[in-house]
Amino acid sequence: MINIDSRTHVRGESIYVNDIPLREDTLFGVVFASPLAHGKVKSIDFSEALQIDGVEGIISVKDIKGENQIGGIIQDEELFADKTVDYIGMPIALVCAKTERIAKKAVSRIKIDIEELHPIVTAREAYAAKKFIVPSRTFKIGDTESEWKSCAHIIEGQAEMGGQEHVYLETQGAYAYLTEDDGIKIHSSTQATKYVQRAAAKVLGMPMHKIEVDVNRIGGGFGGKEDQGTPWACMAALAAQTLRKPVKLVLSRAEDIKMTGKRHPYSFDFKLGLSKDLKIVCYEVQCFQNAGACADVSPAVMERTLFHGTASYFVPNARITVHSCKTNIPPNTAFRGFGAPQGMFVLEAALMKAAVTLGVDMMEIQKKNLLSEGDRFPYDQEAKNCNARKCWDTAWKTFGVEKLKKEVADFNQKNDLFKKGVSLYPLCFGISFTKTSLNQGRSLVHIYSDGTVSITTGVVEMGQGVNTKILQAAAQTLSISTRRFTIHSTNTSRIANPSPTAASSGADLNGKATIMACQALLARLKGVACQELKAQDPGDIEIKDEVIYHKGRKTELTWARLVFLTEEARVSLSEHAHYATPIIHFNKAMEKGHPFAYHVYGTAVTVVTVDCLRGTYNVDLVKIIHDFGSSMNLDIDIGQVEGALLQGIGLMTIEELLIDQTGKLVYDDLSSYKVPDIYFTPRTLEVKPLDSKPDPLALLGSKAVGEPPLMYGIGTYFAILKAMREFNPQLKLELWAPMTHQKCLMSLYDNYGDLLK
Ligand code: MTE
Ligand code: LUZ
Ligand code: MOS
């Protein structure tokens, strides 16, 4: 089935916040933000800005009737800076004017006096100053105290991983207006209607039922709108409440990049112990997470780093610690993978260092340590239906890795200035929100008297194709044509308290709820059919392709007629269902439990060529064996793998978030911050489904696919590093991602002088 959004997308007719027809008297908001990373606000002068013709008001702390507080997990985030500013880009006020141009001009006339304080920019600085978001946490398995003694090799080192800008196509934004009796309606570009509703209620001093949040779809979120769609929606709503006019606030790309948080940069100290035959015996890592100025979802991101600290490997003795460090940069936030890429990268870096130190092939160490059926993760869950080895072996055979390695070696033999590298990356990613209570989905299904169906769920469509999957699940359950369905906007008045669309579980949670609703409706319809056909047992009734069957025999009764009869019989044609993932639990005091419904596995083979004169590189080939369970829509799912892979390759290579000592982002626009484009896409890109079992906790057995494949990008980093070492075997192993062209060039010639002697 094709993606139901393709038609309006290609015709430019899909509706985003910026496409909503404006109401009369709509005002446009532009944010006035802190120019400094840390300081005390001495005074602000709005007078000159307010005199500009067309400016209707400047909204700030003074206008808040409720609380100046939008923090989710921890109540530590102000909507508008009050006494202090904590990062460059921290909102201080919202100028509202008749046009955006006027509002922008007025912003430039605001005067602010800030007493500058020393900004802390890196996680390690914050750690030294004991500035934390939450107390540090550790996951432990086995005994890392005494087992070091039994290691034949011990490798220690440091690693760094940079952050990442989301670059969703649609920037952050919201449109808010008053409804009858001082209610508020907010159209928001958010992954989490509930978070917007909850925070707006708090800021505006209103009960939640007076606030309606609506999301038609968003133009990409990638995690960047899980928590951070909220401030702009609250500002627009607060301005609408204060000025009593509709207010629209859509950030420009430059404002978005400056004001919003990104993927968390991490810094690591690791220690790895191997046995004589290269089995991992012990692993210890300290992770320093750069959380930014307030909590946002950092404590949850920290948790996922802990969960994925042993990646796709079995580690019998491990001790993984994460410190969530508070700094003066924008609050870092959810980003596809959510702390897992960082935890997985550092272990891979340690394996690479071990391979180089011992002079063995990294693949040999990787393969020896892959998870097997029944192995325990440090959080105690067992690896069930574990496909780690199966993916590895299938990739090895299917893609002819032995031959690829030989070709690469031959190439390197023949070429001095171009070098190739080949890597394998094994993936294992846990599906479910790590916070158990978030694992619930909802669906509201109405059948209309003409036999057509409308569905609303708690999930937000952001390009991942989730609405297509929901529709497929409903059409399959009811066995009627997909043309009979419309999926409506995500709306807090139709679906209350939805979890954010995140953790790759939107389709599982809300799709399963949709199936439950359809099954309840089906049972009622069958009851009516039973009466109409004068049958004894509703169990003998079946609906197949819009025709009603009795004991396997086709009857005259059709879907449309049955729906009509059901309404006539005064039987409800509407159903709301709620799904909560069974079996999962987690005990935070013990740091043990069974947090994930299942795991997703895969293996990526990557070949790169490095131009050693210029420090540039091409990704020649990425071939992936991916565990989709039993995919319900392979076109959508392969699209997700390809998109996530590219985003992962960008993270590990060309996307660099450089922050200077003053807390300023150095590459702050899309001409200097580079994401992969079509020219950077692997020349050969192949995704093959693993011959795998449908998972009962996945929607129609089709495993969650949104985030896991991002981690395949890690393979590209190590392929590049291997190619670089072919050119300069004495290259210092810096283990510092991303490997930008600049970094590549500089490291290639590091120690190179010694080689020439
Ligand atoms: N795909 C597109 N096109 N746009 C997005 O913003 N977000 C990703 C992934 N795929 C995203 C995407 C992230 S971070 C998540 S968690 C999942 O989609 C969420 O959707 P799902 O739960 O329905 O998979
Ligand atoms: N968000 C969240 C997530 O709140 N909890 C999670 O476990 C998670 N995982 C991935 C992405 N977003
Ligand atoms: Mo995705 S990071 O869970 O929004």
Side-chain angles (χ1 to χ4, degrees):
M1 177 171 174
I2 63 156
N3 188 319
I4 54 172
D5 276 347
S6 9
R7 193 185 134 83
T8 53
H9 275 2
V10 297
R11 293 164 63 99
E13 292 170 355
S14 300
I15 306 277
Y16 301 86
V17 167
N18 231 345
D19 302 305
I20 296 168
L22 295 183
R23 305 187 146 221
E24 224 172 305
D25 288 335
T26 292
L27 300 178
F28 296 84
V30 173
V31 178
F32 171 69
S34 173
L36 292 179
H38 197 197
K40 279 194 191 133
V41 180
K42 308 290 270 187
S43 67
I44 309 180
D45 181 3
F46 293 138
S47 57
E48 205 183 310
L50 280 167
Q51 272 157 26
I52 294 174
D53 197 28
V55 173
E56 301 228 349
I58 299 181
I59 308 299
S60 64
V61 181
K62 66 177 185 330
D63 300 295
I64 294 177
K65 294 187 183 60
E67 284 177 60
N68 182 25
Q69 183 51 248
I70 57 167
I73 299 176
I74 296 173
Q75 306 287 291
D76 69 347
E77 184 172 0
E78 294 176 337
L79 177 65
F80 287 125
D82 189 3
K83 299 191 170 57
T84 65
V85 287
D86 301 318
Y87 60 92
I88 292 174
M90 182 174 184
I92 297 171
L94 183 74
V95 175
C96 296
K98 289 206 164 98
T99 70
E100 209 172 61
R101 257 182 107 124
I102 297 173
K104 277 217 170 95
K105 186 167 151 197
V107 162
S108 71
R109 302 289 165 83
I110 296 175
K111 295 193 190 78
I112 187 160
D113 183 16
I114 299 172
E115 180 191 324
E116 201 169 347
L117 297 170
H118 173 70
I120 290 181
V121 176
T122 67
R124 289 201 193 247
E125 280 172 79
Y127 180 79
K130 299 199 169 57
K131 294 218 178 289
F132 300 110
I133 298 284
V134 284
S136 306
R137 281 172 72 182
T138 300
F139 277 19
K140 280 180 278 195
I141 183 170
D143 177 5
T144 47
E145 303 288 307
S146 56
E147 288 299 327
W148 291 111
K149 288 196 288 285
S150 58
C151 296
H153 316 284
I154 293 178
I155 288 96
E156 289 182 81
Q158 294 198 333
E160 295 279 337
M161 186 160 162
Q164 187 175 26
E165 159 61 38
H166 299 84
V167 201
Y168 25 65
L169 286 181
E170 181 196 19
T171 54
Q172 303 275 2
Y175 184 37
Y177 44 83
L178 295 179
T179 54
E180 197 179 77
D181 196 21
D182 285 344
I184 295 260
K185 180 158 180 176
I186 310 172
H187 298 275
S188 163
S189 186
T190 178
Q191 291 172 235
T193 52
K194 170 171 124 178
Y195 293 175
V196 168
Q197 188 192 23
R198 192 176 63 186
K202 189 172 233 175
V203 171
L204 273 56
M206 283 167 65
M208 281 170 80
H209 71 95
K210 285 284 216 179
I211 299 173
E212 177 185 354
V213 180
D214 189 272
V215 183
N216 198 40
R217 66 162 66 65
I218 66 179
F222 306 113
K225 296 169 182 170
E226 180 172 336
D227 223 47
Q228 300 212 356
T230 301
W232 328 104
C234 290
M235 284 178 210
L238 176 64
Q241 184 195 45
T242 310
L243 302 171
R244 305 197 64 79
K245 285 188 180 173
V247 176
K248 178 166 153 177
L249 163 57
V250 174
L251 298 189
S252 68
R253 182 64 64 185
E255 289 166 337
D256 192 304
I257 292 181
K258 187 170 85 173
M259 295 177 190
T260 64
K262 311 184 190 308
R263 189 189 292 285
H264 297 73
Y266 271 57
S267 185
F268 311 94
D269 292 334
F270 63 81
K271 184 173 170 188
L272 177 73
L274 301 177
S275 68
K276 224 169 52 225
D277 61 352
L278 303 179
K279 285 277 222 183
I280 301 175
V281 178
C282 264
Y283 176 55
E284 270 188 33
V285 64
Q286 300 268 334
C287 311
F288 304 88
Q289 176 201 58
N290 189 337
C294 54
D296 195 280
V297 293
S298 297
V301 170
M302 160 186 192
E303 194 167 68
R304 201 171 267 280
T305 304
L306 292 163
F307 281 114
H308 292 85
T310 56
S312 196
Y313 304 106
F314 175 63
V315 182
N317 304 288
R319 195 183 160 85
I320 303 151
T321 301
V322 186
H323 310 287
S324 183
C325 306
K326 188 168 171 151
T327 58
N328 295 109
I329 64 173
N332 285 319
T333 194
F335 196 142
R336 209 173 198 170
F338 205 79
Q342 293 93 329
M344 291 155 81
F345 169 71
V346 61
L347 177 50
E348 209 63 8
L351 296 183
M352 172 85 186
K353 185 157 185 181
V356 168
T357 311
L358 305 177
V360 297
D361 188 345
M362 180 167 168
M363 290 179 198
E364 202 185 320
I365 308 182
Q366 289 174 302
K367 185 174 178 191
K368 280 227 164 98
N369 292 286
L370 289 173
L371 279 166
S372 304
E373 186 70 20
D375 281 345
R376 271 186 202 283
F377 293 99
Y379 48 91
D380 207 39
Q381 187 166 340
E382 252 180 58
K384 283 220 186 87
N385 300 320
C386 175
N387 287 326
R389 285 173 186 276
K390 192 170 166 192
C391 287
W392 179 281
D393 293 340
T394 309
W396 192 276
K397 255 204 355 243
T398 313
F399 303 138
V401 174
E402 210 65 67
K403 189 160 159 265
L404 269 179
K405 282 172 69 173
K406 202 180 162 299
E407 284 165 10
V408 164
D410 286 350
F411 178 94
N412 289 339
Q413 187 85 50
K414 292 195 192 98
N415 289 276
D416 288 335
L417 292 178
F418 289 89
K419 295 289 181 187
K420 284 186 189 286
V422 52
S423 75
L424 259 68
Y425 188 72
L427 166 75
C428 169
F429 191 84
I431 299 300
S432 289
F433 286 93
T434 57
K435 189 175 164 64
T436 302
S437 61
L438 287 176
N439 294 287
Q440 36 181 325
R442 293 164 178 78
S443 180
L444 175 66
V445 181
H446 297 308
I447 303 175
Y448 295 100
S449 50
D450 67 352
T452 60
V453 185
S454 106
I455 302 177
T456 305
T457 71
V459 88
V460 169
E461 175 62 56
M462 52 181 137
Q464 82 278 42
V466 67
N467 280 349
T468 304
K469 290 185 172 179
I470 300 263
L471 195 159
Q472 260 183 283
Q476 190 171 320
T477 309
L478 296 175
S479 193
I480 58 175
S481 163
T482 53
R483 283 193 299 272
R484 288 192 182 270
F485 292 87
T486 297
I487 311 270
H488 287 284
S489 64
T490 316
N491 182 297
T492 52
S493 301
R494 272 173 277 127
I495 293 289
N497 313 317
S499 290
T501 300
S504 305
S505 49
D508 282 0
L509 298 173
N510 297 278
K512 291 244 180 198
T514 302
I515 290 179
M516 287 166 70
C518 290
Q519 281 168 343
L521 288 163
L522 210 50
R524 296 207 285 267
L525 288 161
K526 282 180 182 174
V528 173
C530 209
Q531 280 178 358
E532 174 68 13
L533 298 169
K534 308 214 165 30
Q536 302 297 317
D537 184 1
D540 294 337
I541 307 284
E542 211 188 336
I543 301 178
K544 265 197 300 196
D545 298 329
E546 308 207 345
V547 177
I548 307 345
Y549 287 72
H550 179 234
K551 291 190 172 166
R553 244 170 306 151
K554 200 170 176 169
T555 70
E556 295 287 297
L557 194 56
T558 62
W559 166 261
R561 174 86 187 144
L562 178 58
V563 167
F564 172 80
L565 292 171
T566 306
E567 195 201 1
E568 284 288 295
R570 300 193 295 170
V571 171
S572 170
L573 286 168
S574 296
E575 184 71 12
H576 176 276
H578 175 260
Y579 172 79
T581 314
I583 72 167
I584 52 171
H585 57 86
F586 192 70
N587 180 337
K588 217 171 143 177
M590 309 286 294
E591 304 284 30
K592 303 278 177 200
H594 188 113
F596 298 120
Y598 54 86
H599 290 84
V600 170
Y601 296 90
T603 294
V605 182
T606 306
V607 180
V608 303
T609 307
V610 177
D611 175 340
C612 301
L613 201 56
R614 295 173 179 82
T616 55
Y617 40 74
N618 282 324
V619 184
D620 304 332
L621 164 159
V622 179
K623 292 186 177 184
I624 294 168
I625 295 291
H626 187 83
D627 170 17
F628 295 100
S630 146
S631 174
M632 64 185 288
N633 191 323
L634 208 51
D635 288 337
I636 284 180
D637 284 350
I638 286 183
Q640 283 291 296
V641 175
E642 292 177 349
L645 168 72
L646 260 278
Q647 215 162 24
I649 292 178
L651 167 70
M652 302 310 299
T653 58
I654 57 174
E655 293 186 43
E656 189 175 32
L657 278 180
L658 208 58
I659 297 169
D660 71 15
Q661 286 168 343
T662 69
K664 189 183 169 329
L665 196 57
V666 179
Y667 303 139
D668 64 352
D669 58 35
L670 296 184
S671 63
S672 51
Y673 183 84
K674 288 300 190 188
V675 294
D677 59 10
I678 192 69
Y679 303 104
F680 193 69
T681 303
R683 299 297 189 268
T684 302
L685 174 49
E686 197 178 321
V687 181
K688 280 208 160 142
L690 177 77
D691 177 18
S692 168
K693 278 199 280 248
D695 193 286
L697 294 180
L699 180 60
L700 299 175
S702 184
K703 285 187 173 183
V705 71
E707 296 171 281
L710 181 129
M711 270 67 71
Y712 292 134
I714 294 172
T716 301
Y717 180 93
F718 291 97
I720 293 173
L721 212 52
K722 285 181 184 179
M724 288 165 65
R725 287 186 47 80
E726 289 292 326
F727 179 74
N728 178 358
Q730 280 163 37
L731 178 117
K732 254 198 262 164
L733 263 192
E734 297 219 82
L735 302 170
W736 183 7
M739 180 59 78
T740 59
H741 292 153
Q742 192 176 5
K743 239 184 253 167
C744 177
L745 184 66
M746 303 306 274
S747 356
L748 279 170
Y749 293 92
D750 191 45
N751 293 345
Y752 195 66
D754 301 345
L755 277 181
L756 299 176
K757 275 183 207 145

